[in-house]
Amino acid sequence: MPSLKDLRLRITSVKSTRKITSAMKMVAASKLRRAQTAAEAARPFAERMERMLGTLAGAMAGQAGAPAMLTGTGSDQVHLIVPVTADRGLCGGFNSSITRSTRLLTAELLKQGKKVVILPVGRKGREALRRDYGHLMIEGFDNLGRKGITFPEADQVATRITQMFANGEFDVCTVVYNRFVSAISQNVTRQQLIPFPVPAQSETVDASARAVYEFEPGEAEILAEILPRNLAIQLFRSMLESQASEQGARMTAMDNATRNAGDMINALAIKYNRSRQAQITKELIEIISGAEAL
């Protein structure tokens, strides 16, 4: 049974932990407000860009001269997976959900006889996946968005992916990230970036019902500019969603930790009071017994 001194030290330690988790909760709540605003502001443009390219992809399906980023290389043997995680922990299951989805996707592709390359964005994802798939990983990106995700940082990742695709290092690129829903809910999302996925409705709509586009100066020049830009925009959106999800998950985790610390303090205080009362009772019995003996 622990002594009264041990219980006092334990209560003091848990109180210090509660102060830390409470402060981290408030900091995460402050960052969440900004990150959520940025993620929600990026959604309309990214979704509109995706919808426009979906219409173009459906209209240009099967035509000669279409860029490879739109139609693909004609093969799907080599897959590039881009898991977007955080550089820090203490955010509940935020990082583990991404690494779990990445492991499942990698195992599924390897079982099908495909080749997999992993480009991690975020230190926690790289460290977690290194144990099982270190031989499939290439140098990724860390320390992005320390003061908030910016478009140049997303464009840096997009440029690396574009160069790899131009060099023929992969056929299909998929990003895995947490889509922000609320502070207590984040959805793991897999989004194919290269080749651009043609929406299912484009295959069923009659050709006469599709919009007719006239390109100037030409399709190749315009799409050569739009497709890499769309890649950067979709990555930017996924990184903003991931950052908002991280802060929401951290705020929830620190709130739970603060409550658990409070419950532990109450339990330790009850145990301390009972032990103290038992010790006092024992001392009184010893005094009374000694007095009677005299």
Side-chain angles (χ1 to χ4, degrees), residues 229-266:
R229 180 66 56 175
N230 174 70
L231 176 64
I233 289 171
Q234 300 303 327
L235 283 171
F236 183 47
R237 191 261 297 267
S238 66
M239 293 167 70
L240 288 175
E241 296 276 356
S242 179
Q243 187 175 57
S245 299
E246 176 192 352
Q247 299 304 332
R250 179 170 289 113
M251 186 184 73
T252 302
M254 292 301 102
D255 180 59
N256 293 334
T258 303
R259 293 182 182 181
N260 292 337
D263 294 341
M264 184 176 292
I265 290 172
N266 293 335

Side-chain angles (χ1 to χ4, degrees), residues 40-58:
E40 292 175 347
R43 286 177 185 173
F45 185 78
E47 292 172 355
R48 184 63 180 171
M49 174 72 81
E50 196 172 19
R51 195 180 313 131
M52 181 194 68
L53 283 177
T55 304
L56 287 175

Side-chain angles (χ1 to χ4, degrees), residues 189-204:
T189 304
R190 297 176 183 175
Q191 181 181 359
Q192 181 176 312
L193 300 178
I194 300 175
F196 186 85
V198 179
Q201 60 181 6
S202 300
E203 300 174 358
T204 59

Side-chain angles (χ1 to χ4, degrees), residues 96-139:
S96 60
S97 61
I98 295 297
T99 55
R100 186 185 308 113
S101 180
T102 303
R103 284 192 180 97
L104 291 174
L105 179 58
T106 302
E108 181 182 349
L109 292 172
L110 292 176
K111 188 176 180 180
Q112 296 174 4
K114 312 292 185 182
K115 183 179 178 182
V116 178
V117 180
I118 300 176
L119 176 65
V121 176
R123 182 172 60 87
K124 286 297 181 179
R126 187 188 71 241
E127 292 177 351
L129 293 170
R130 180 182 293 169
R131 292 190 292 267
D132 297 327
Y133 300 109
H135 61 289
L136 303 178
M137 294 174 58
I138 58 177
E139 185 178 358

